[in-house]
Amino acid sequence: MGIWKMSQLKAPPLTDDVKELREYIKYLSNQLASMLKDLDFTLNGDVDFRNVRAKSIKADRMDVDELSAISANLGHIVAGLIESVQIFGSYIATSKDSFPRCEMSSTGNVFAAKSSAEHYVAIDPNYAGTPALKWIFNGTERGGLNDVSGFMELLGIGGLVLNVSGGDLDINVTGKVNFASWDKLYNNNTDRTLQQDISEIFDRLEAGGL
C-alpha cells in the first residue's frame, strides 16, 4: 500500500463578497475531488506517477509482458534464471577476472576456451571465409582445423605431433597417401630417411653388391 499525503488547503477568504466565496467553493470542490482520487489510488493498490517515487517499490517478483516495460540499467546481476530469450552483441564468460575460463564474445564473433589471455583455442566463424578452429599460443596462431582449401585441413605451425598410446595408428584412404618426397619419411631409430635407404639399395644393385 502506498503512502498518502493530504494536500494543504487554502483558508477561506475573510469576506462577505459572494463572488469570492463562490470561487473559493469551486476551488475547494476541485481540491477535494483530487484528494479523493489520490486516496483511491493509494488504498486500492493502483499505481500512479503522483504516488510513486524513485526506489520506493520493492518486490521479490515482477510480472510484465516484456522486460522493455522496465526502463533501467540492470547493473550487476548475481543470480537468476533466463529462459527462451534472444541475446545479441554480448560478452559471456564462465569467470570474470580469472583463468581458465570459456567465453563468447561479439568481438570477432568467437567462442573460446582459455588457459590465459594469450593461450587458447577458439572457434572462428570467418577464417578466410569459412568456420575454423584456431589454437593460439603466446598470442600467435600455432595451428588449426579448417576447410579453406575445400578439404578438411589439420594445420600445425612449427610442428604437429600425432601421439597414439596403447594402440595403432590406422590410415584408411580410398585414394593415395601423398608425400612431397621419400626424404620426408624419417626413421628415428636409424637417423635415416626412406630416400637414403632406397638410394643406398639402388647404388648397391648397380654395383652388384646384392
Side-chain angles (χ1 to χ4, degrees), residues 162 168-179:
L162 296 178
D168 301 324
L169 175 62
D170 297 324
I171 301 176
N172 298 311
V173 298
T174 56
K176 298 177 292 184
V177 178
N178 299 312
F179 299 94

Side-chain angles (χ1 to χ4, degrees), residues 14-166:
L14 301 176
T15 180
D16 293 331
D17 188 286
V18 175
K19 183 177 181 180
E20 286 191 38
L21 290 174
R22 286 178 177 174
E23 289 295 327
Y24 178 75
I25 292 173
K26 182 179 179 182
Y27 155 78
L28 187 61
S29 176
N30 290 335
Q31 287 295 103
L32 288 174
S34 178
M35 291 168 60
L36 288 173
K37 186 176 181 181
D38 287 344
L39 182 59
D40 181 64
F41 283 141
T42 303
L43 294 178
N44 295 323
D46 294 321
V47 178
D48 182 79
F49 72 94
R50 289 170 294 181
N51 60 19
V52 176
R53 296 177 300 278
K55 301 181 181 179
S56 64
I57 298 178
K58 294 182 179 180
D60 63 350
R61 180 181 302 173
M62 296 184 69
D63 187 359
V64 296
D65 292 334
E66 293 184 358
L67 193 59
S68 58
I70 304 173
S71 179
N73 183 339
L74 296 181
H76 184 189
I77 301 174
V78 297
L81 175 65
I82 300 176
E83 293 185 16
S84 301
V85 297
Q86 295 181 349
I87 301 175
F88 301 96
S90 297
Y91 172 80
I92 300 174
T94 56
S95 176
K96 183 180 179 182
D97 298 315
S98 62
F99 295 95
R101 71 173 179 235
C102 294
E103 62 185 38
M104 177 184 67
S105 175
S106 59
T107 302
N109 298 315
V110 298
F111 292 85
K114 296 187 173 184
S115 60
S116 72
E118 301 294 322
H119 193 183
Y120 58 90
V121 57
I123 301 176
D124 187 342
N126 189 22
Y127 181 79
T130 184
L133 281 175
K134 298 193 302 184
W135 277 264
I136 308 297
F137 184 71
N138 286 337
T140 303
E141 185 175 351
R142 297 294 297 273
L145 180 64
N146 64 73
D147 62 348
V148 173
S149 62
F151 305 96
M152 290 305 302
E153 178 182 354
L154 179 62
L155 174 66
I157 301 173
L160 179 64
V161 177
L162 296 178
N163 192 355
V164 179
S165 178

Side-chain angles (χ1 to χ4, degrees), residues 197-198 200-210:
D197 286 339
I198 292 175
E200 180 179 320
I201 292 172
F202 182 78
D203 290 341
R204 292 172 63 181
L205 284 173
E206 280 196 327
L210 289 180

